[in-house]
Amino acid sequence: MPKTERTAHRKQRIQEVLARRQKDLTLILDNIHDPHNVSAILRSCDAFGVPLIHLYYTDEVFPALGRKSSASAIKWVERREHANCRDMLQELKGQGLQIARTGFSPESSPLTSWDLTRPTAVILGNEHRGVSQ
């Protein structure tokens, strides 16, 4: 196959993959401390077609991401940084997203009970402190 045909085929394949991304699902990383965890989340988002994550960092310094461990995901998963929770949540709710948070408490409900047919932002909390208030 000539190079121009391969390039055209590759472009078509990329467009097909991008068209199947889950534009109605996003994650909010709430002060995730360990850079390996952030890299793993980015790789999972890339694998599952989540095109965008929100980085809410107020108590932690955003961890440096490894070029090798996150290389592909860094290219394909957009990241938006936030320092103000109220503004971030207003923005997301204004886009029609429901906000769900992870955690362990008596009020918690299992993932299977979440209505993920609606556009959703899922908050993942810090490894030690959980989700911020």
Side-chain angles (χ1 to χ4, degrees):
M1 181 183 308
K3 186 175 183 175
T4 55
E5 286 182 41
R6 285 192 308 248
T7 302
H9 177 73
R10 181 179 167 97
K11 285 181 183 177
Q12 178 185 353
R13 177 71 177 124
I14 289 171
Q15 292 302 320
E16 289 171 359
V17 170
L18 292 175
R20 289 193 303 267
R21 294 178 99 186
Q22 297 188 56
K23 297 175 185 82
D24 59 352
L25 178 63
T26 189
L27 296 179
I28 301 168
L29 306 189
D30 178 4
N31 290 290
I32 303 293
H33 173 76
D34 189 328
H36 295 100
N37 292 340
V38 175
S39 291
I41 292 167
L42 281 169
R43 289 191 307 273
S44 295
C45 286
D46 185 27
F48 286 98
V50 175
L52 168 69
I53 63 170
H54 297 267
L55 308 167
Y56 175 65
Y57 276 78
T58 57
D59 299 331
E60 300 281 337
V61 175
F62 182 73
L65 300 176
R67 290 192 179 269
K68 290 185 179 181
S69 64
S70 306
S72 175
I74 287 174
K75 288 189 280 187
W76 294 105
V77 179
E78 182 182 349
R79 295 162 314 282
R80 292 199 187 137
E81 295 183 20
H82 303 272
N84 183 296
C85 182
R86 181 171 291 144
D87 291 346
M88 175 186 64
L89 294 178
Q90 273 186 317
E91 175 187 328
L92 295 171
K93 288 179 181 179
Q95 295 170 6
L97 279 87
Q98 68 177 336
I99 310 295
R101 68 182 192 128
T102 58
F104 298 98
S105 74
E107 299 85 34
S108 295
S109 58
L111 177 62
T112 54
S113 70
W114 294 5
D115 180 6
L116 295 175
T117 62
R118 295 179 47 205
T120 304
V122 178
I123 305 172
L124 303 176
N126 176 275
E127 299 92 331
H128 307 287
R129 297 181 306 272
V131 174
S132 300
Q133 292 300 318

